[in-house]
């Protein structure tokens, strides 16, 4: 691996982070690339197996397994808000990523140590999930912060750098579902979860070894006083102890899934109420209208993720039980097909980015609300394609092509909504509310994941195809309505 520093005399040079570069980017980017790639390998490998592990190993009924799965993924999306706050306020992004990596590795390794099954020793299973949720909270948001810290705000390499990082995320997700999914279902649970644990250890090792390439980025904030002692413990280690308290809290919370739903509902109502109050009372009209649009997008995102996140639960189980999974004559484990979304993103993500840019240059780029409507409609079409394939099979296993097409349309829908929504939150929020609005976006994602578990529960007991049909038509109709409203509103504004 050859690295070189850019020439200060190069007239085309951009404002650069001090230190070595690789392929024109800070060398630290590739440390973060491989750290996140292995972390996503571990997360998505475990996620592909989780619903089967709950049903097949622990003996959960489908209805409860789906709700446990939804509660777990909801907490995974909630935790980074707390981990990000602790990093910003106290220990900095670099220490947070390292600590999160340790917790994640412990959680995945603990999963590989199988309990007795059928509820025996299940406390260790809850502990493993709690470690993974808390570790994700410390690592997930902060590693993205580190990527941004490698570049000056005006650096033209910033967006391409995040694109490279995004490829790492989806490469890890695809590999994790294929490798851990295959090992877990074809050989044994401990092999699949063990592969996820080894991957997380690899990611942690890469980060600890390569942290010097970050050139001091991600350190604690000014005035953090990490060495300050109270009760004989430094402030830095008090944060780490708080993380362990968080593990205990998640361990308890995840066993009572209804409390997760209540917490999401109450928290969402408080946050949205505060945002509306602030918008109406304190903001000028232009900023207030931006907040209203952002809240509409956030509500639509809950519906999208509630349907989209059937992937790891009800769709995963349907693939296992009702799909012809033969690939080149070999029957593949269902978990392996969880890799399709990540593979489609790697292939079609650059295409969609080019398409939006091309339409923008022609003055024909759709409005953000139109893109959200298209995303919902594409998501619904994916479900309806699967329903058509299932019904057309006449009781025989559904041909594999229909699962491939379902995940293709879901990916295209995600590309119309997820990155667009993130960009919209940063654009629509006034500076004093940017963090709050972004946090609300992720709170909505968590709510969507929890709702996904409730929808999946409705598919239990042999009603999956009917549930998918209802979900598909709901998404298509909602998407078409959103597109129509957006087009009419845009034309009205032009004619005003």
């Amino acid at each position: 691996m050859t690295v070189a520093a850019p020439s200060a005399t190069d007239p085309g040079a951009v404002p650069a982070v001090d230190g070595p570069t690789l392929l024109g980017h800070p060398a630290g980017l590739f440390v973060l690339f491989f750290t996140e790639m292995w972390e996503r390998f571990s997360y998505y490998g475990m996620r592909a197996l989780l619903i089967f592990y709950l049903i097949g190993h622990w003996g959960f009924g489908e209805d409860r397994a789906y709700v446990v799965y939804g509660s777990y993924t909801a907490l995974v999306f909630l935790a980074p808000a707390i981990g990000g706050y602790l990093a910003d306020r106290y220990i900095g992004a670099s220490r947070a990523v390292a600590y999160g990596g340790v917790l994640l590795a412990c959680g995945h390794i603990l999963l590989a140590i199988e309990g007795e099954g059928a509820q025996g020793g299940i406390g260790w299973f809850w502990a493993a999930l709690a470690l993974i949720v808390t570790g994700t909270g410390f690592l997930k948001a902060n590693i993205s912060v580190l990527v941004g810290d490698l570049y000056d705000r005006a650096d033209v390499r910033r967006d391409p750098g995040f694109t490279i990082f995004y490829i790492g995320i989806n490469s890890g997700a695809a590999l994790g579902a294929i490798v851990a999914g295959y090992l877990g279902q074809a050989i044994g649970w401990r092999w699949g979860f063990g592969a996820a644990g080894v991957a997380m250890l690899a990611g942690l090792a890469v980060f600890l070894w390569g942290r010097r390439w970050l050139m001091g980025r991600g350190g604690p904030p000014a005035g953090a006083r990490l060495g300050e002692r109270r009760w004989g413990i430094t402030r830095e280690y008090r944060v780490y102890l708080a993380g362990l308290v968080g593990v205990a809290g998640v361990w308890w919370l995840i066993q009572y899934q209804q409390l997760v739903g209540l917490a999401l509902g109450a928290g969402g109502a408080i946050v949205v109420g505060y945002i509306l109050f602030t918008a109406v009372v304190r903001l000028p009209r232009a900023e207030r209208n931006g907040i209203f649009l952002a809240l509409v997008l956030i509500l639509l995102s809950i519906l999208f993720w509630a349907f989209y996140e059937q992937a790891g639960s009800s769709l995963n189980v349907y693939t296992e039980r009702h799909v012809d999974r033969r690939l080149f004559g070999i029957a593949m484990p269902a978990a392996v097909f969880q890799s399709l979304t990540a593979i489609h993103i790697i292939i079609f993500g650059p295409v969609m980015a080019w398409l939006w840019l091309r339409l923008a240059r022609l003055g024909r780029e759709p409005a953000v609300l139109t893109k959200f409507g298209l995303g919902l409609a594409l998501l619904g079409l994916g479900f309806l394609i699967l329903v058509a394939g299932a019904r057309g099979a006449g009781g025989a296993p559904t041909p594999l092509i229909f699962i491939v097409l379902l995940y293709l349309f879901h990916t295209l829908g995600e590309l119309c909504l997820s990155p667009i929504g993130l960009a919209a939150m940063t654009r629509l929020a006034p500076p004093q509310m940017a963090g709050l609005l972004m946090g609300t976006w992720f709170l909505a994602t968590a709510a969507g994941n929890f709702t996904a578990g409730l929808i999946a529960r409705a598919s239990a007991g042999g009603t999956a195809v009917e549930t998918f049909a209802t979900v598909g038509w709901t998404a298509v109709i909602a998407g078409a309505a959103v597109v129509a409203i957006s087009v009419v509103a845009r034309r009205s504004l032009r004619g005003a």
Side-chain angles (χ1 to χ4, degrees), residues 163-371:
T163 300
I164 292 171
F165 183 68
Y166 196 60
I167 292 171
I169 291 173
N170 287 286
S171 299
L175 287 171
I178 292 170
V179 176
Y182 180 84
L183 291 175
Q185 285 199 285
I187 300 178
W189 301 118
R190 67 181 61 197
W191 288 90
F193 292 131
V198 169
M200 191 60 244
L201 286 172
L204 179 60
V206 167
F207 183 76
L208 295 177
W209 169 81
R211 192 154 50 168
R212 63 184 182 274
W213 297 108
L214 301 180
M215 309 306 293
R217 267 61 183 181
R225 301 193 305 276
L226 293 184
E228 181 181 279
R229 290 182 177 272
R230 180 177 296 178
W231 311 303
I233 306 172
T234 64
R235 175 173 288 184
E236 178 179 357
Y237 281 88
R238 291 202 301 273
V239 172
Y240 300 149
L241 287 173
L244 295 179
V245 172
V247 171
V250 174
W251 177 84
W252 176 78
L253 188 62
I254 202 169
Q255 298 180 62
Y256 301 95
Q257 296 84 41
Q258 66 273 21
L259 294 180
V260 177
L262 290 173
L264 285 169
I270 292 170
V271 170
V272 171
Y274 174 77
I275 291 173
L276 285 171
F277 173 81
T278 303
V280 171
V281 174
R282 300 178 182 174
L283 297 180
R285 181 177 179 181
E287 291 184 347
R288 181 167 63 245
N289 290 341
I291 290 292
F292 291 160
L293 176 56
L295 289 176
V296 170
L297 300 179
I298 286 169
L299 290 174
L300 290 173
S301 77
I302 296 176
L303 183 65
F304 181 89
W305 295 121
F307 295 163
Y308 179 92
E309 287 297 337
Q310 298 305 304
S313 56
S314 62
L315 284 169
N316 214 1
V317 170
Y318 182 85
T319 303
E320 168 75 13
R321 296 176 178 175
H322 304 293
V323 172
D324 181 356
R325 292 177 280 106
R326 288 176 298 174
L327 193 62
F328 305 113
I330 301 172
M332 302 298 293
V336 168
F337 297 102
Q338 291 294 297
S339 65
L340 288 172
T341 299
I343 293 170
H344 287 149
I345 286 176
I346 293 170
I347 296 170
F348 293 102
V351 176
M352 293 293 287
W354 172 85
L355 176 63
W356 299 136
L357 184 61
R358 177 66 175 169
L359 290 174
R361 287 174 176 170
L362 295 173
R364 300 177 64 181
E365 184 182 13
V368 62
L369 197 57
T370 302
K371 292 178 182 178

